[in-house]
Amino acid sequence: MYGGNDDDYEERNRQLIFQGTQVLGRTGESLARSTQIAVETEQIGNEVVSELGEQRESLLRTRTRLEDANEQLNSAKSLLKSMSRNVIYNKLILILIIVLEILILATVSYLKFKP
């Protein structure tokens, strides 16, 4: 009996050691998978950060172009206002010249055909 207990004890120890070894193996595999996932996640994160940097630069360039376009539109608006004023002034001068010509023509006609 005494010898049988030792065999059972050794068998239980072997099973515990075997189970512990299996648990350690699975834990090691799990750690390896976790490490691989962490490396892949870091690579994806680096790619995302790089892409975001490129997008930021693109947005900044676009913003600069829009600011330039806005300045050009303001200049064009100012130029169109100036041209509109000049057209109005030219029309007023033309009307004044026509009125003066009519007055001169009327005066000349009056003086020529004066009774």
Side-chain angles (χ1 to χ4, degrees), residues 2-106:
Y2 187 73
N5 281 340
D6 283 343
D7 287 340
D8 289 343
Y9 178 74
E10 285 182 24
E11 184 61 30
R12 274 188 261 141
N13 280 341
R14 281 189 195 120
Q15 287 178 354
L16 286 174
I17 290 171
F18 180 71
Q19 289 173 353
T21 303
Q22 287 179 332
V23 168
L24 282 175
R26 287 191 303 266
T27 302
E29 291 170 2
S30 178
L31 284 173
R33 285 191 305 269
S34 296
T35 301
Q36 182 62 32
I37 290 170
V39 167
E40 290 172 2
T41 302
E42 183 180 10
Q43 289 173 346
I44 291 170
N46 286 336
E47 290 172 6
V48 167
V49 167
S50 175
E51 187 173 325
L52 287 174
E54 291 172 8
Q55 290 177 357
R56 179 181 185 275
E57 292 299 321
S58 176
L59 287 172
L60 289 174
R61 284 191 303 272
T62 302
R63 180 180 178 191
T64 301
R65 277 188 248 136
L66 285 174
E67 288 171 350
D68 290 344
N70 191 33
E71 288 177 19
Q72 290 177 356
L73 285 173
N74 288 336
S75 295
K77 184 178 178 181
S78 175
L79 181 62
L80 286 173
K81 283 182 181 180
S82 175
M83 290 172 68
S84 176
R85 280 192 304 268
N86 287 340
V87 166
I88 291 171
Y89 294 147
N90 287 342
K91 283 183 180 181
L92 289 174
I93 291 171
L94 185 60
I95 291 171
L96 182 62
I97 290 171
I98 291 172
V99 168
L100 286 174
E101 285 181 352
I102 290 173
L103 287 175
I104 291 171
L105 184 61

